[in-house]
Amino acid sequence: MQRRTKNTLGVLALLPLAVALTACKPATKVADLDRVFTVDEFSQDIGLRQKALAACSANPGELRTDPNCVNSIASHLGAATEEDRTYQIKRLAAAQDIAVISTALKLYKLDNGAYPTQAQGLQALIEKPTTEPIPTNWKENGYLTDLPKDPWGRPYQLTNPGNHGYDLDVYSFGPGSDSYHPLIMGSWQDDVRALEKTYVEKGSFETSGQ
């Protein structure tokens, strides 16, 4: 969230300068660019933006105030805030899935006296385990219709016993390769636990369907 705020402030700070530079149409010193491009043009042409950013990064002293550098940076920061919005949507979907899976695990324990082991994993919610301890009162048709993938296309994870003060941890690695976002989205987090409480009260156990 801190990174998103910084990016947004950066865009707001740069846009007036970008507009002013575009209006007066000064010359550009950025190699291979024959005119000044607007923020919108850089946003619509990622290759053009990358070319400008590379040139500006290679010579930051001379080109720091070049209009194409200012506009391409403003476009880049705007794209970053859009990525943050996409991340927040995916994070909410993951939180919903984790809350539903955690609720299903609690039902499993109520029926069978214990949670699935680490080896049995989340698969125990949709297929009756055949390894010890074999559940004695496993629900016909299982506790979930299927195991969803997280919004980044990877399986949700189970750790038993948990590492965050609870019996179990159910989690997603999140975007993984994205270094400025939290990598872990887990059942121990307050927003997930609040969703789980809501699902228990409503008796709703549908995942996001990823």
Side-chain angles (χ1 to χ4, degrees):
M1 184 62 69
Q2 183 179 3
R3 172 66 179 266
R4 180 182 177 185
T5 302
K6 288 182 178 179
N7 282 344
T8 303
L9 291 175
V11 172
L12 293 176
L14 284 169
L15 282 178
L17 179 57
V19 171
L21 289 170
T22 302
C24 62
K25 296 189 180 298
T28 179
K29 295 181 180 179
V30 178
D32 299 327
L33 298 184
D34 57 359
R35 65 178 178 85
V36 173
F37 291 86
T38 66
V39 174
D40 285 343
E41 286 175 317
F42 280 122
S43 297
Q44 293 167 9
D45 189 335
I46 297 176
L48 179 67
R49 183 175 73 207
Q50 290 175 335
K51 180 189 294 185
L53 289 172
C56 297
S57 298
N59 191 3
E62 182 180 355
L63 299 178
R64 181 177 57 185
T65 59
D66 186 278
N68 274 325
C69 291
V70 172
N71 290 356
S72 61
I73 291 171
S75 169
H76 176 68
L77 292 176
T81 58
E82 179 61 32
E83 289 171 4
D84 278 352
R85 285 190 289 272
T86 300
Y87 168 75
Q88 292 301 328
I89 293 171
K90 289 185 175 183
R91 190 181 190 281
L92 176 59
Q96 292 170 337
D97 283 349
I98 292 170
V100 169
I101 293 170
S102 297
T103 302
L105 286 165
K106 285 180 169 61
L107 294 177
Y108 182 103
K109 182 182 180 182
L110 284 173
D111 285 348
N112 302 287
Y115 289 113
T117 65
Q118 181 73 34
Q120 290 169 337
L122 296 177
Q123 193 70 19
L125 295 175
I126 61 172
E127 293 180 3
K128 183 177 180 178
T130 57
T131 58
E132 295 293 341
I134 296 176
T136 57
N137 193 32
W138 194 81
K139 181 181 177 182
E140 185 178 359
N141 298 323
Y143 297 86
L144 292 174
T145 55
D146 58 18
L147 286 177
K149 295 288 183 67
D150 72 15
W152 296 274
R154 294 188 288 264
Y156 287 100
Q157 306 294 314
L158 172 70
T159 298
N160 182 4
N163 296 319
H164 295 85
Y166 299 98
D167 292 334
L168 300 174
D169 292 338
V170 180
Y171 57 96
S172 160
F173 286 116
S177 61
D178 198 335
S179 61
Y180 69 84
H181 284 310
L183 298 185
I184 296 293
M185 177 75 202
S187 56
W188 59 88
Q189 294 171 336
D190 290 342
D191 51 349
V192 179
R193 296 188 66 78
L195 279 172
E196 182 183 337
K197 181 179 179 181
T198 299
Y199 293 150
V200 170
E201 291 172 350
K202 292 183 177 180
S204 174
F205 306 107
E206 293 185 3
T207 62
S208 66
Q210 294 292 326

